[in-house]
Amino acid sequence: MGTFQTKIAVGRERGGAFEEVTALVDTGASFTMLPAGFLSKLGVESDLDVEFTLADGRKQTLPIGDVRVRIGLRETYSPVIFGPDDRFLLGAITLQIFGLIVDTTHHKLIPAPEMPL
């Protein structure tokens, strides 16, 4: 497991402007999580509530929606958790959608050498 920060751009699912943010890349996190207030400002709406198990074993129900994400020159859709105001977290599901892996030595995202089906 390793963490570092990277810039990503986020926009609502059905068009509109992107806003660039600095997100923590955490190889131990499944979902991307962004502040609920930030997502609301972009016009992103939640689709459903999902119960998650936190690192300390507690359970918490959080809303999820879909956003457009831009990393470098690539852009696609990704699920996102509506989180606390200080949480900009880029998770493994978004990285997998983009076909990226984490180079923890150089603290950067790199293309996966192959994509499993």
Side-chain angles (χ1 to χ4, degrees):
M1 186 184 309
T3 61
F4 61 92
Q5 295 184 330
T6 192
K7 293 204 181 286
I8 64 172
V10 181
R12 71 175 193 256
E13 186 180 17
R14 290 185 172 46
F18 280 89
E19 186 159 335
E20 189 172 277
V21 298
T22 300
L24 180 69
V25 178
D26 185 344
T27 58
S30 296
F31 281 86
T32 294
M33 178 185 283
L34 299 172
F38 169 77
L39 293 170
S40 293
K41 185 177 86 172
L42 289 177
V44 178
E45 297 178 3
S46 65
D47 300 318
L48 70 147
D49 293 333
V50 175
E51 184 177 72
F52 293 95
T53 302
L54 305 178
D56 64 6
R58 290 181 296 130
K59 304 237 185 251
Q60 185 173 7
T61 300
L62 296 166
I64 292 183
D66 291 308
V67 294
R68 289 180 304 141
V69 178
R70 184 180 297 147
I71 300 175
L73 300 175
R74 298 179 63 196
E75 175 186 325
T76 194
Y77 299 93
S78 177
V80 63
I81 296 172
F82 286 62
D85 287 340
D86 62 347
R87 193 63 50 94
F88 290 87
L89 182 71
L90 182 60
I93 292 171
T94 303
L95 295 176
Q96 289 173 350
I97 291 169
F98 273 91
L100 296 171
I101 59 173
V102 175
D103 178 346
T104 55
T105 303
H106 299 100
H107 293 181
K108 64 181 184 177
L109 301 174
I110 59 174
E114 59 183 51
M115 291 288 292
L117 183 59

